[in-house]
Amino acid sequence: MDRQRAVLWFAAAIVAVVAVLGTSVGAAPTRGGTLVIGLDQEPPTLDPHASPSAVTFQIITDVTENLLYEDLNGKLSPWLAASYKVSPDGKAFTFVLRQDVTFSDGAPLTAEAVKWNFDRIVNPTFKAGGALAALTGYAGSTVLDEHTVRVNFKAPYAPFLTYVAGGTLSLISPKTTPTQGDAVNQKPVGSGRFVISEYAAKDHITLLRNPGYARRPPYSDHQGPANVDRIVWKIIPESGTRVTTLQSGETQMISFLSTPAAVLPRLAADKNLRVEKHPYPGAPRIWMLNVKLAPTNDLKVRQAINYGINRAAFVDSIYKGLGLEAHAPLTMQTLDDPSLRAYYPYNPRKAAQLLDEAGWKMGPGDVRQKDGRPLALVINSINYGAGNLPEVELLQGQLLGLGIDAKIKSQARPPWYEDNYHCATNGPVMFLRSTDWDGLYALFASVNVGGNFNWACVSNPEVDRLLAEGIAQFDPAKRRAVYLRIERILLDQAVTVPLVDELSVWVMRSTVKGTAYNYSAYPVLGDVYIVK
């Protein structure tokens, strides 16, 4: 495991060097041109408050902005806020806003605008995505003057500063949004360096440079508008096609998500291309085990699955160069500890013993049986249009080796979500980007069963109590101890199967310069320019 962490740190160091070279060597930044980016999937919505999907925030990072900014190292700095302070009791956060900010529709950024955004998220008539969990315990906002707002919570809320820097709490216009209806899902109006000009379903999303942008965002090396005229996000689900468009120059940058790892060394060796990697914060690629539905409602079955899954095989055969073995519901980048890494070493003999103890004996066709019933389960797998995900197929094969008949329910995003909300399968394979240890709240708080993202359908009073304690604790060491305790309980109960700590991997033409990344490892493209 020390070797794994060393690899991760080395990769980050290499990326840092590449980033420096890419932005400081050669011609000065040029203006104009179009950056075309190949993306593996279409977002369910571009409304930052409604989306439960990471792909939304990859696209709108340059459209909407936040009160604060969190860089790759986790450092917070003012963005739309000029300054901020936390009350002694940890229940109130006061932001003094910049006075030179307007949304792209001309509406000024005011304290009322901030209040409107946060009130919108918690409105029971609005179907919020990840934003709702980010405002847990919200007690309203108080407008102190035109440019000063106090955000109030019912109890101390330590994660708020990191959440207010994340995409789910980015701000959209209170002027245009109420008039848009469903159109906000395709063209939210923000205050960023780009505006959304076109949304062609299942094909592309076009962003145009906002010529009125006059500020210098905290990630940037210059004041004023973006360098490129437009960014076109092309929806290309098939990974081979996505790679081909990059090599031909049809695209200048692609997401490497869902692309076979074997392709990466070939691209890295191409002098016309550049590879950039960063570790994701939050939950790893993880299988949420539905504790309410047989057979994963049996603790011994869940523990057996954890012992019987060979995580190294996922890294070696699918994620080589793209991730590390996962050990807990949060990635090592987010929260690492030797006790977490020791829980479930690969031990198929132990797995078989536990299944035997649970009454599941090997039967015909190498499938275990009990009381004449086969040991069968259903994995909920999202299909972006390119078929089954390879990690889900590998998971299915490994389960069969344990004597478990695993069916893959491969489906489009909307029914996939509905099954998760209704605890209708034995759980989805998923990931969750979170910038705080409190990401465990969205995943495991009992109030989130039936919503986003408690899809293990867990209701554990001790976990709920500790989640509340962690939210209220501002001392870093004490807070870390709380979340370690939560992870140990979750591992004891085997409510998930952590598979891979993923790396965010983007491949681009060497002519693309000036890329940056926020703490969520999403690209920030306001400084990007293209060398002619």
Side-chain angles (χ1 to χ4, degrees):
M1 180 51 58
D2 289 340
R3 180 183 65 82
Q4 284 192 340
R5 296 185 71 193
V7 168
L8 181 58
W9 292 332
F10 179 73
I14 291 296
V15 169
V17 171
V18 169
V20 170
L21 291 176
T23 56
S24 62
V25 175
T30 54
R31 291 293 180 96
T34 299
L35 176 67
V36 183
I37 306 174
L39 197 59
D40 66 303
Q41 58 184 282
E42 183 176 22
T45 173
L46 290 180
D47 182 341
H49 303 157
S51 183
S53 177
V55 66
T56 296
F57 306 106
Q58 293 174 347
I59 295 171
I60 67 166
T61 297
D62 295 288
V63 175
T64 61
E65 297 180 305
N66 293 70
L67 293 174
L68 304 179
Y69 181 78
E70 188 171 17
D71 68 15
L72 263 177
N73 298 314
K75 180 183 177 183
L76 291 168
S77 56
W79 193 354
L80 296 181
S83 63
Y84 63 93
K85 65 179 180 179
V86 183
S87 65
D89 64 4
K91 296 181 181 180
F93 300 78
T94 301
F95 299 91
V96 178
L97 306 178
R98 295 180 61 124
Q99 299 186 27
D100 57 351
V101 178
T102 57
F103 295 94
S104 60
D105 62 359
L109 174 69
T110 63
E112 286 285 359
V114 175
K115 173 179 167 57
W116 178 87
N117 272 264
F118 293 164
D119 288 352
R120 175 183 190 248
I121 292 168
V122 302
N123 189 323
T125 65
F126 177 70
K127 188 172 178 57
L132 188 59
L135 284 179
T136 298
Y138 177 69
S141 295
T142 304
V143 174
L144 301 180
D145 60 43
E146 186 177 6
H147 293 100
T148 308
V149 60
R150 184 174 66 232
V151 184
N152 307 298
F153 291 88
K154 298 173 184 176
Y157 193 41
F160 182 61
L161 291 179
T162 58
Y163 285 155
V164 86
T168 58
L169 296 187
S170 60
L171 303 181
I172 56 178
S173 171
K175 173 184 175 182
T176 297
T177 306
T179 71
Q180 285 183 289
D182 288 342
V184 69
N185 293 306
Q186 296 187 336
K187 293 185 178 181
V189 175
S191 59
R193 277 177 159 170
F194 288 89
V195 298
I196 300 169
S197 67
E198 183 182 24
Y199 191 119
K202 302 183 185 304
D203 189 79
H204 69 274
I205 299 165
T206 301
L207 314 184
L208 292 182
R209 180 171 62 184
N210 178 2
Y213 194 97
R215 295 171 282 114
R216 176 181 174 179
Y219 64 82
S220 181
D221 64 3
H222 78 273
Q223 184 168 323
N227 289 322
V228 297
D229 292 330
R230 64 181 57 81
I231 299 173
V232 179
W233 292 87
K234 287 281 292 179
I235 313 302
I236 310 174
E238 206 286 311
S239 62
T241 304
R242 206 158 60 244
V243 169
T244 299
T245 64
L246 179 69
Q247 293 173 314
S248 69
E250 181 182 342
T251 60
Q252 289 83 50
M253 182 174 175
I254 63 169
S255 164
F256 203 74
L257 193 67
S258 304
T259 304
V263 178
L264 192 60
R266 173 164 55 87
L267 299 181
D270 188 334
K271 61 179 174 46
N272 295 311
L273 304 177
R274 185 171 78 253
V275 178
E276 295 183 348
K277 304 179 186 179
H278 297 285
Y280 280 122
R285 182 69 58 167
I286 194 168
W287 182 19
M288 306 290 283
L289 294 178
N290 182 353
V291 301
K292 291 186 175 181
L293 185 67
T296 49
N297 62 343
D298 187 326
L299 174 59
K300 286 190 175 181
V301 171
R302 299 196 303 270
Q303 291 173 329
I305 291 172
N306 270 280
Y307 279 114
I309 295 302
N310 184 357
R311 294 160 178 82
F314 286 83
V315 173
D316 293 342
S317 64
I318 298 176
Y319 284 88
K320 190 173 184 178
L322 306 178
L324 305 168
E325 293 178 44
H327 299 278
L330 292 176
T331 66
M332 291 183 291
Q333 164 74 0
T334 309
L335 182 60
D336 190 20
D337 190 83
S339 66
L340 304 178
R341 293 184 252 123
Y343 258 85
Y344 292 107
Y346 178 50
N347 189 338
R349 183 173 298 179
K350 177 72 171 177
Q353 175 190 335
L354 287 165
L355 291 173
D356 285 339
E357 292 174 2
W360 295 100
K361 307 297 183 181
M362 195 62 76
D366 293 326
V367 174
R368 290 176 177 269
Q369 291 189 348
K370 181 166 68 172
D371 301 328
R373 295 178 293 108
L375 180 52
L377 54 79
V378 177
I379 305 169
N380 195 17
S381 177
I382 196 166
N383 188 332
Y384 298 122
N388 288 334
L389 298 175
E391 63 268 25
V392 178
E393 292 186 340
L394 178 56
L395 179 61
Q396 179 188 42
Q398 291 196 9
L399 290 168
L400 183 59
L402 298 174
I404 302 173
D405 181 15
K407 308 294 187 185
I408 298 175
K409 189 173 185 180
S410 181
Q411 53 186 335
R413 189 190 302 272
W416 181 82
Y417 275 110
E418 286 304 312
D419 276 353
N420 294 332
Y421 295 147
H422 293 95
C423 302
T425 71
N426 294 100
V429 173
M430 57 170 286
F431 62 87
L432 180 68
R433 310 299 179 222
S434 177
T435 56
D436 192 89
W437 299 325
D438 182 56
L440 293 174
Y441 179 90
L443 290 167
F444 302 108
S446 60
V447 296
N448 291 326
V449 175
N452 297 319
F453 298 92
N454 188 344
W455 296 336
C457 307
V458 172
S459 296
N460 185 311
E462 179 66 4
V463 169
D464 287 341
R465 185 189 68 79
L466 288 168
L467 287 169
E469 184 179 336
I471 285 174
Q473 179 58 254
F474 280 77
D475 180 274
K478 292 179 180 178
R479 193 162 185 259
R480 183 179 188 274
V482 170
Y483 287 100
L484 272 178
R485 174 62 182 148
I486 296 171
E487 290 219 281
R488 289 168 184 153
I489 292 173
L490 296 170
L491 288 167
D492 285 336
Q493 293 298 307
V495 300
T496 69
V497 182
L499 297 172
V500 179
D501 281 6
E502 294 179 291
L503 300 178
S504 168
V505 181
W506 295 81
V507 188
M508 61 214 71
R509 307 286 301 179
S510 57
T511 52
V512 175
K513 308 291 185 182
T515 50
Y517 297 84
N518 60 25
Y519 184 67
S520 295
Y522 301 147
V524 184
L525 304 172
D527 280 0
V528 163
Y529 62 99
I530 302 172
V531 177
K532 305 296 185 182

